[in-house]
Amino acid sequence: EVQLQASGGGLVQPRQSLSLSCTASGFNFGDYAIGWFRQAPGKEREGVSVISARGTSTYYLDSVKGRFTISRDNAKNTVYLQMNNLKPDDTAVYFCATVQSITTSGERITNYRGMDHWGKGTLVTVSS
């Protein structure tokens, strides 16, 4: 059974940092791109960051570029999202998911699709 579990959310003040983890099981983790997605109250789910299977290519939502960093440790079946300089607009439930297909241009993921398996989310609240 494919399982993904996001953790690490919490309540922080603006400009503080949080590190999220997504731990997976039930599939060949190192064969899949993994993405972080978020959904704020009243808004649609959006892709925040995606990392390729080997970690050589990444995608970032424009609003998080320079503040968030995605990484993975395939030996631990875990993907991380380091979030720095958090803003109130980052408040959302964060999910991780497998990504079936990506298109890359060098180190950049330019397109991604096929989020087949989702984990339960973790709530990030940024508020003073």
Side-chain angles (χ1 to χ4, degrees), residues 30-108:
D31 290 342
Y32 282 84
I34 301 291
W36 284 100
F37 302 83
R38 69 185 181 187
Q39 187 164 20
K43 296 186 177 180
E44 293 187 355
R45 189 173 297 188
E46 62 181 355
V48 176
S49 186
V50 178
I51 189 165
S52 61
R54 297 181 180 179
T56 53
S57 299
T58 58
Y59 160 84
Y60 293 99
L61 183 67
D62 282 347
S63 63
V64 308
K65 285 180 181 177
R67 300 188 297 122
F68 290 11
T69 303
I70 192 169
S71 61
R72 67 189 295 159
D73 185 340
N74 286 350
K76 295 182 178 179
N77 282 12
T78 302
V79 171
Y80 306 96
L81 186 68
Q82 177 65 40
M83 306 186 296
N84 298 329
N85 190 21
L86 282 160
K87 303 177 179 181
D89 283 350
D90 296 318
T91 295
V93 177
Y94 284 70
F95 304 85
C96 55
T98 57
V99 176
Q100 187 70 26
S101 176
I102 61 171
T103 303
T104 61
S105 175
E107 295 181 348
R108 289 190 309 116

Side-chain angles (χ1 to χ4, degrees), residues 8-11 18 20 91-94 121-125:
L11 171 64
L18 272 178
L20 305 184
T91 295
V93 177
Y94 284 70
T122 185
L123 176 63
V124 172
T125 304

Side-chain angles (χ1 to χ4, degrees), residues 13-27:
Q13 296 183 343
R15 295 178 296 281
Q16 291 188 329
S17 299
L18 272 178
S19 181
L20 305 184
S21 297
C22 172
T23 302
S25 62
F27 62 103

